[in-house]
Amino acid sequence: MIQVKKLEKSYNNVNHLHILQNLNLTVEEGEFLGIMGASGSGKSTFLRILGGLETFLDGEAAVCGENLQTMKEPEKEVYRQKVVSYIFQDYNLLSGLTVKENIILPSTMGNVEEKKLEQDYAAITQKLGIDAYENRFPDEISGGEQQRAAIARAVLKHSRVLLADEPTGSLDMHTARNVLELFEEINRDYHVTVVMVTHDVFSASFCNRIIFLKDGKFTNEIEKSGFQQDFYKIIQKEMREMDGIF
Ligand SMILES: Nc1ncnc2c1ncn2[C@@H]1O[C@H](COP(=O)(O)OP(=O)(O)OP(=O)(O)O)[C@@H](O)[C@H]1O
Ligand SMILES: [Mg+2]
């Protein structure tokens, strides 16, 4: 589903200052993968590359068979519309549209029937507790509510791959749990492949596998084999062993 080989990235194509170095990764269809690492380690840069939002210097990256290395801008726009859903770290809602318009807009570009779209919209916004705010504008709701609107927008699109950058960063534990359960649901019931960047051990414990990024390199990975509580402890231990980089 996702194939990355020897990926290199530097901003402004400065060779000696590589933000991402020799990244290799395979993600199978239906995985729920977590990416963890210190601030500035390159997590968002990597996710943006997968989302077709950023170019890279060298190596290969393909998502659902779409080659991101050779793809030109008009194709990338279609790729961003049809293949992936993206939850931005800073939400990226359009300020001139209401919450409902923001959530629905990208989905109207697909071919989902209007009635089904309305049904899904109602279920998702209710689950995320933002149904009461649908007629407000983004600057009339809190940061956490904006984050949930950005999540609803991405989930409603029903893409095959969901890329989520710190999707629970502004949420309390209870709301974060609802979001993570929603991800679990679409991952399990619709086989959506989820890649989630997170700092948070609780959020990470919902993933099936976690890779750690340090200074632009993948250092190690862990896989869930038992209960979520056990995985939580394993992630904590891994983070301690990585010398408290978080
Ligand atoms: N547009 C840019 N131009 C130049 N450097 C950038 C740009 N965007 C990010 N960087 C640098 O690239 C590195 C990785 O940034 P990135 O945003 O990927 O980190 P991150 O792991 O997502 O961090 P955080 O956890 O704080 O969100 C950082 O050193 C950052 O300063
Ligand atoms: Mg980031």
Side-chain angles (χ1 to χ4, degrees):
M1 177 61 55
I2 300 177
Q3 283 275 348
V4 175
K5 281 187 199 151
K6 296 184 177 170
L7 185 106
E8 305 274 335
K9 165 77 182 172
S10 62
Y11 283 106
N12 310 321
N13 289 350
V14 182
N15 275 315
H16 60 275
L17 248 181
H18 279 200
I19 298 290
L20 300 176
Q21 297 169 44
N22 191 26
L23 295 189
N24 294 286
L25 176 70
T26 303
V27 185
E28 302 295 344
E29 179 164 16
E31 270 202 72
F32 188 167
L33 177 78
I35 301 178
M36 299 187 87
S39 180
S41 58
K43 304 180 299 297
S44 294
T45 303
F46 182 64
L47 206 67
R48 280 203 302 271
I49 289 175
L50 295 183
L53 297 158
E54 189 96 64
T55 57
F56 50 99
L57 197 62
D58 207 1
E60 296 168 29
V63 178
C64 293
E66 307 274 352
N67 184 342
L68 289 162
Q69 194 191 15
T70 52
M71 208 184 282
K72 299 278 176 294
E73 197 41 52
E75 290 170 276
K76 271 197 179 164
E77 203 175 317
V78 176
Y79 169 82
R80 289 191 294 260
Q81 264 172 29
K82 308 267 185 213
V83 182
V84 288
S85 286
Y86 201 97
I87 301 170
F88 293 86
Q89 190 167 9
D90 55 2
Y91 326 137
N92 236 353
L93 298 173
L94 300 170
S95 58
L97 299 185
T98 65
V99 167
K100 182 168 185 179
E101 287 164 347
N102 262 289
I103 295 171
I104 295 246
L105 182 70
S107 298
T108 56
M109 296 173 187
N111 38 21
V112 183
E113 193 198 329
E114 200 181 320
K115 195 168 156 218
K116 167 98 175 92
L117 200 61
E118 282 289 342
Q119 274 171 358
D120 288 353
Y121 166 83
I124 291 167
T125 50
Q126 197 174 10
K127 167 105 187 160
L128 296 177
I130 49 167
D131 44 335
Y133 308 120
E134 64 177 22
N135 293 321
R136 296 207 203 163
F137 289 91
D139 65 357
E140 295 171 343
I141 58 175
S142 76
E145 288 154 2
Q146 287 180 43
Q147 182 155 47
R148 280 177 276 160
I151 291 165
R153 174 176 64 181
V155 170
L156 188 66
K157 258 177 76 186
H158 292 296
S159 303
R160 289 172 66 197
V161 178
L162 175 65
L163 305 170
D165 197 349
E166 298 277 4
T168 56
S170 302
L171 307 180
D172 60 73
M173 188 98 159
H174 170 74
T175 320
R177 184 186 285 278
N178 283 345
V179 167
L180 293 157
E181 282 173 1
L182 183 65
F183 289 177
E184 258 184 348
E185 216 172 283
I186 60 169
N187 176 247
R188 187 186 55 230
D189 299 345
Y190 300 100
H191 310 290
V192 172
T193 306
V194 183
V195 180
M196 175 174 76
V197 166
T198 184
H199 274 108
D200 173 43
V201 183
F202 174 69
S203 300
S205 70
F206 282 74
C207 299
N208 300 119
R209 177 162 68 114
I210 299 182
I211 49 170
F212 292 87
L213 193 57
K214 188 176 184 181
D215 301 330
K217 295 181 196 141
F218 289 141
T219 53
N220 48 338
E221 67 172 63
I222 50 177
E223 206 152 340
K224 190 193 261 168
S225 55
F227 291 114
Q228 189 177 350
Q229 290 102 309
D230 300 330
F231 197 43
Y232 181 98
K233 286 182 196 139
I234 293 168
I235 302 164
Q236 261 186 333
K237 183 165 167 279
E238 197 67 29
M239 283 169 66
R240 270 200 303 274
E241 280 171 11
M242 284 184 82
D243 215 12
I245 62 161
F246 294 90

